[in-house]
Amino acid sequence: MGEAVHTDMMAEFLRASGGAVVMDGGLATELEAHGADLKDTLWSAKCLFTCPHLIKKVHLEYLEAGASVLMTGSYQATIQGFLSRGFSQDESESFLKLSVELACEARDTYLGKCSNSSDEPKDGARLRERPILIAASIGSYGAYLADGSEYSGDYGKEGNLEYLKNFHRRRLQVLAEAGPDILVFETIPNKIETQAYVELLEECNLHIPAWFAFPSKDGINVVSGDSLTECVFIADSCKEVGAVGINCTPPRFIHALVLSIRKVTNKPILIYPNSGESYDPVRKEWVVFQTKISFHM
């Protein structure tokens, strides 16, 4: 499948959606609102074996709120992470597949409600049949480490190309085989992991389009300090990549970052910022960004 095919798929999806698409929101935030305890190195991926029904419930609620893209609950789900908790290789891979299955089931349930007007929700949610993409979420190596390094890109001695490719390879294959519409590489903190993802997409012949999303904390570079435009250029060079963009970034930086990205690529641009808070790896929570304002008389 060539670059034009992936680009055309994205163009058709956007056309059918009216030119812009609303993605879902934070999965973990809503899982916690439903009572899930995510104080765990696996974060929201813990729910894949403790309360998968809540993941499906949140997916369905986002669809009822108007989202047209569902991110699977696999951002922090890795085979290595599950193995460290005592699960077998087969069990670990089954959790990755389950993340895609839950999102697909939620889509089927929602579209089924759309075709039956008698199922109109009583809580004010609106049902509207529309194209809905299932996006398999792939977090960075730093997300697996659960030490905040996904927001710094500092991986130490493990931060080399071959190590990162070997870490992600089987996870990527399992998620692709589960049947999502697209693979989403999220919160990519540095250039080396961008290159690792691109090489894996080219080597694995998955025949499935991908999105790349980068975080920034200064409105110029990705969080490691690597050039955002250089990272986007690497992603843009891959024929499997159908869109690039920004995630987990303060809203005040988005406009300038979009302008920078557009100088490097003509592909669709993703935008899903955070609330403007900063991640504290010591407290393992998001904290309000503090800024000083000076008044000159």
Side-chain angles (χ1 to χ4, degrees):
M1 188 177 290
E3 180 176 3
V5 176
H6 292 318
T7 302
D8 289 348
M9 185 275 269
M10 285 302 306
E12 174 57 26
F13 177 58
L14 288 170
R15 185 201 64 76
S17 303
V21 175
V22 176
M23 305 165 71
D24 62 7
L27 178 64
T29 301
E30 294 304 309
L31 287 171
E32 288 182 318
H34 284 295
D37 179 7
L38 304 186
K39 291 181 174 62
D40 192 281
T41 54
L42 292 175
W43 197 39
S44 56
K46 173 185 176 183
C47 296
L48 289 168
F49 58 85
T50 59
C51 52
H53 65 285
L54 284 186
I55 297 178
K56 181 177 177 180
K57 179 179 176 63
V58 172
H59 284 328
L60 187 56
E61 289 174 346
Y62 272 124
L63 292 177
E64 291 175 346
S68 294
V69 177
L70 287 182
M71 299 284 194
T72 62
S74 52
Y75 175 80
Q76 208 144 315
T78 64
I79 293 172
Q80 296 88 339
F82 291 129
L83 289 174
S84 70
R85 298 293 290 272
F87 292 105
S88 68
Q89 178 77 19
D90 287 346
E91 288 172 327
S92 300
E93 293 187 8
S94 73
F95 292 139
L96 290 173
K97 295 175 184 176
L98 178 60
S99 70
V100 176
E101 292 167 358
L102 291 169
C104 290
E105 290 172 7
R107 175 173 63 183
D108 291 344
T109 298
Y110 177 80
L111 293 177
K113 289 184 177 182
C114 289
S115 63
N116 185 348
S117 58
S118 65
D119 284 343
E120 188 72 27
K122 303 296 190 296
D123 59 2
R126 298 180 61 185
L127 300 179
R128 179 175 59 86
E129 191 165 350
R130 61 191 181 278
I132 296 170
L133 283 188
I134 304 303
S137 174
I138 300 169
S140 68
Y141 175 66
Y144 155 74
L145 295 176
D147 61 357
S149 57
E150 68 201 282
Y151 305 113
S152 70
D154 182 6
Y155 294 164
K157 63 181 180 181
E158 285 84 15
N160 65 75
L161 186 62
E162 289 306 313
Y163 184 93
L164 293 173
K165 287 170 65 176
N166 290 332
F167 176 84
H168 287 295
R169 181 174 285 105
R170 183 55 187 158
R171 175 197 194 189
L172 177 56
Q173 293 169 332
V174 172
L175 285 171
E177 291 166 1
D181 299 304
I182 198 160
L183 301 173
V184 180
F185 298 91
E186 300 189 87
T187 323
I188 309 171
N190 52 40
K191 188 161 61 174
I192 191 71
E193 197 155 23
T194 306
Q195 186 66 43
Y197 289 147
V198 164
E199 292 189 15
L200 283 174
L201 286 171
E202 294 172 343
E203 293 170 9
C204 293
N205 296 314
L206 301 173
H207 303 296
I208 182 172
W211 291 346
F212 278 44
F214 303 93
S216 175
K217 58 186 176 184
D218 63 4
I220 301 173
N221 303 305
V222 296
V223 292
S224 65
D226 290 341
S227 166
L228 170 67
T229 54
E230 289 181 13
C231 291
V232 172
F233 182 81
I234 293 170
D236 184 69
S237 69
C238 180
K239 67 182 187 329
E240 281 79 13
V241 175
V244 294
I246 300 296
N247 81 307
C248 206
T249 295
R252 65 187 181 277
F253 295 142
I254 296 300
H255 182 257
L257 291 169
V258 169
L259 294 178
S260 296
I261 291 173
R262 184 49 78 214
K263 294 177 182 178
V264 185
T265 181
N266 290 320
K267 294 177 180 179
I269 296 177
L270 311 164
I271 305 169
Y272 50 119
N274 59 24
S275 64
E277 297 171 310
S278 300
Y279 185 74
D280 186 330
V282 177
R283 295 162 57 183
K284 295 189 181 301
E285 61 184 32
W286 291 90
V287 296
V288 176
F289 175 82
Q290 299 292 331
T291 184
K292 294 182 180 179
I293 302 176
S294 298
F295 295 94
H296 300 280
M297 302 300 290

